[in-house]
Amino acid sequence: MAASMTHEKSWFLALALGVTFLKCLLINAYHSTDFEVHRNWLALTHSLPVSQWYYEATSEWTLDYPPLFAWFEYGLSHIAQFFDKEMLVVQNLNYASPATILFQRLSVIVADVVFFYAVKECCKCLREDKGKDLLAKPPFILTVLLLWNFGLLIVDHIHFQYNGFLFGILLLSIARHFQGQLPQVLSRLFPFKRGLCHAYWAPNIWALYNIADKAFSILGVKFKLLDINKLPKASMTGGLVQEFQHSVLPSVSPLATLVCTLLSILPALFRIWHRPNGARGFLRCLVVCALGSFMFGWHVHEKAILMAILPLSLLAVESREDARIFLILSITGHYSLFPLLFTTQELPIKIFLMLLFTIFSVTSLKTLFRKGGALLNPLEATYLLGLIPLELICEFVYPLTVWQKTFPFLPLMLTSVYCALGVTYAFIRLYISLLACSDTTKKTKMQ
């Protein structure tokens, strides 16, 4: 027993140190405007009294995260002053000295310790496997799927955000629930004034709704059923964050998205209320609710797909059907994050990291469930392989065409719509598995 625990500690430590080293190599990579957002929050929480934190508006990137996160920034600011005090001046907009970049990157890396601890706790909830093959051990596979998650790597350590330790809290609450403790309560923020969709459409039901409306409007104008002069001026394909009206289909209001979101999760909530299915039932319901919010929510960001992919990793190593859904959702969802890194120097990085993660996901889960044949049917495999020509067209072919200047948003639209098909399919299959799953009393309980 002691030898087994020592062996587990060794490979977990190796995986944790390995991914930390990779994050350090990405310190000088491209960073988005979110970098300046968090630098500004460091400055205002450090320089101003608490009563002014949510009133300060020198920068356009005002503090709009919950107070707990604001206090997190406040704590970081006291360490930041030892790197470069100028980053803590509110008036120093877009300040990004080498010391500032180093500090902010390291703050994300260090904060990921919470995520590491949460992953370790989640592994304790899995069944013990006394086999000697490391790649056949659910804890090892789960650790790689979480610690080396492609989406989390590029969103936090290239694009720049602090999702790692926040997801650590989520996973820790899941682990505690598996251990018999109450789950954490999650709250959602709804940006009603920013329009139905983000500048880059998240791959959800509204992306399909938007493209259907666009197709109907084009056909309507072509067959002279619609007057082009009477169509709404604000274009949903303009790549801007704004409110807009649909041309043919009914325009969607925040209330409509709320109703759709509630309708999408109510069957899952009803199911778990009447047939709880223990911790696994709770986790499956949580994933369905997260994905339902992603599918039907108002102004959903593409990064929110991680809210479903990461918790689903726990189910993927225990169920063949969940492994199948995980592969479809993770590959499609991770690819939908590609537009976040649009600079040329990050192109090989995002492709290489996704290939590594995808190859490991497919091979390890296939090994884990090798007795049942292929995890994906031919149609599913063909759809996922279709991401390859899509990437070639969007990244290499389309920029060389004459349409690049006229329709610059087209590659983003194609990516969003194609990925929306896969995410929608995964959502349907996940719902079917939730409604069809048997009671946990008939299964092996997690330790």
Side-chain angles (χ1 to χ4, degrees):
M1 183 66 178
S4 176
M5 292 181 63
T6 302
H7 179 61
E8 180 178 345
K9 287 181 180 179
S10 63
W11 60 252
F12 186 91
L13 183 60
L15 290 173
L17 291 177
V19 76
T20 301
F21 178 72
L22 174 61
K23 293 170 184 177
C24 291
L25 293 179
L26 298 175
I27 285 178
N28 289 317
Y30 152 85
H31 56 77
S32 71
T33 52
D34 281 346
F35 182 90
E36 168 61 14
V37 171
H38 289 283
R39 186 216 59 81
N40 182 57
W41 293 355
L42 285 173
L44 68 89
T45 55
H46 183 83
S47 307
L48 302 175
V50 179
S51 60
Q52 295 183 28
W53 286 0
Y54 287 90
Y55 289 91
E56 166 57 33
T58 300
S59 168
E60 61 178 312
W61 311 117
T62 54
L63 181 58
D64 58 6
Y65 272 31
L68 184 61
F69 194 90
W71 283 105
F72 170 73
E73 295 277 6
Y74 173 78
L76 289 179
S77 71
H78 287 278
I79 304 174
Q81 63 184 332
F82 296 106
F83 283 75
D84 187 349
K85 292 183 178 180
E86 291 301 309
M87 81 172 80
L88 302 176
V89 178
V90 176
Q91 288 73 25
N92 284 350
L93 302 182
N94 299 310
Y95 187 81
S97 67
T100 301
I101 293 174
L102 178 62
F103 169 76
Q104 290 195 240
R105 290 293 198 189
L106 288 178
S107 67
V108 180
I109 294 173
V110 174
D112 277 355
V113 170
V114 177
F115 187 68
F116 290 178
Y117 174 70
V119 172
K120 185 69 173 176
E121 290 298 302
C122 286
C123 289
K124 293 179 181 178
C125 300
L126 299 176
R127 67 179 186 274
E128 291 186 5
D129 193 334
K130 298 181 180 180
K132 295 183 179 180
D133 188 0
L134 191 61
L135 289 176
K137 291 181 178 293
F140 175 80
I141 296 175
L142 177 61
T143 299
V144 177
L145 293 179
L146 291 175
L147 291 189
W148 287 79
N149 182 273
F150 166 77
L152 200 57
L153 278 173
I154 68 169
V155 169
D156 274 12
H157 301 280
I158 299 180
H159 182 78
F160 191 86
Q161 281 192 347
Y162 288 90
N163 293 294
F165 90 95
L166 296 175
F167 279 121
I169 296 174
L170 171 62
L171 292 178
L172 193 57
S173 68
I174 294 173
R176 291 292 179 258
H177 185 73
F178 272 88
Q179 297 165 5
Q181 301 180 26
L182 292 177
Q184 296 287 334
V185 178
L186 303 177
S187 62
R188 297 183 176 90
L189 301 176
F190 299 94
F192 295 122
K193 297 297 182 181
R194 300 179 185 176
L196 175 63
C197 297
H198 193 47
Y200 162 54
W201 303 345
N204 59 15
I205 200 69
W206 304 125
L208 301 178
Y209 190 87
N210 289 344
I211 199 64
D213 181 77
K214 192 67 176 178
F216 289 147
S217 66
I218 293 174
L219 292 174
V221 171
K222 182 177 181 179
F223 292 104
K224 299 181 179 180
L225 299 175
L226 296 174
D227 184 353
I228 192 172
N229 296 317
K230 295 183 179 180
L231 295 178
K233 299 298 182 183
S235 173
M236 60 185 171
T237 58
L240 301 175
V241 179
Q242 60 179 342
E243 293 185 278
F244 58 83
Q245 300 294 315
H246 288 91
S247 302
V248 179
L249 298 176
S251 294
V252 182
S253 66
L255 180 59
T257 63
L258 175 61
V259 172
C260 289
T261 301
L262 290 176
L263 290 177
S264 74
I265 68 176
L266 277 177
L269 296 176
F270 182 82
R271 173 68 169 74
I272 196 173
W273 181 265
H274 288 275
R275 298 181 65 186
N277 267 357
R280 286 186 183 84
F282 162 78
L283 178 55
R284 196 178 301 276
C285 181
L286 185 148
V287 175
V288 167
C289 290
L291 199 51
S293 299
F294 178 85
M295 290 294 296
F296 298 99
W298 176 268
H299 195 80
V300 173
H301 286 227
E302 66 287 335
K303 291 163 284 192
I305 192 65
L306 296 176
M307 284 290 294
I309 294 176
L310 291 172
L312 184 59
S313 304
L314 278 76
L315 295 173
V317 297
E318 292 212 325
S319 163
R320 179 182 179 81
E321 175 63 16
D322 291 324
R324 174 189 186 184
I325 298 171
F326 172 81
L327 290 178
I328 298 171
L329 184 62
S330 66
I331 294 174
T332 306
H334 286 155
Y335 180 78
S336 73
L337 299 175
F338 267 34
L340 289 175
L341 308 180
F342 54 85
T343 56
T344 304
Q345 56 266 35
E346 270 71 43
L347 178 61
I349 296 177
K350 66 183 182 182
I351 292 177
F352 179 70
L353 288 179
M354 180 167 177
L355 281 176
L356 282 181
F357 184 81
T358 302
I359 291 172
F360 176 82
S361 300
V362 173
T363 55
S364 61
L365 292 176
K366 182 180 179 180
T367 301
L368 196 59
F369 302 104
R370 54 184 174 273
K371 293 184 178 180
L375 285 175
L376 302 173
N377 63 42
L379 184 60
E380 294 165 345
T382 301
Y383 167 79
L384 293 178
L385 289 174
L387 293 171
I388 298 175
L390 176 63
E391 173 67 5
L392 293 175
I393 292 172
C394 292
E395 292 284 0
F396 303 102
V397 178
Y398 190 79
L400 302 177
T401 66
V402 295
W403 300 311
Q404 173 63 24
K405 294 183 179 180
T406 310
F407 306 106
F409 191 66
L410 188 58
L412 295 179
M413 185 172 65
L414 289 175
T415 300
S416 178
V417 172
Y418 191 87
C419 291
L421 295 173
V423 174
T424 302
Y425 176 77
F427 179 63
I428 294 172
R429 292 212 63 91
L430 186 64
Y431 231 118
I432 293 174
S433 71
L434 171 72
L435 299 178
C437 63
S438 59
D439 292 332
T440 51
T441 53
K442 298 178 182 180
K443 298 179 180 180
T444 304
K445 292 184 178 180
M446 284 191 174
Q447 299 299 322

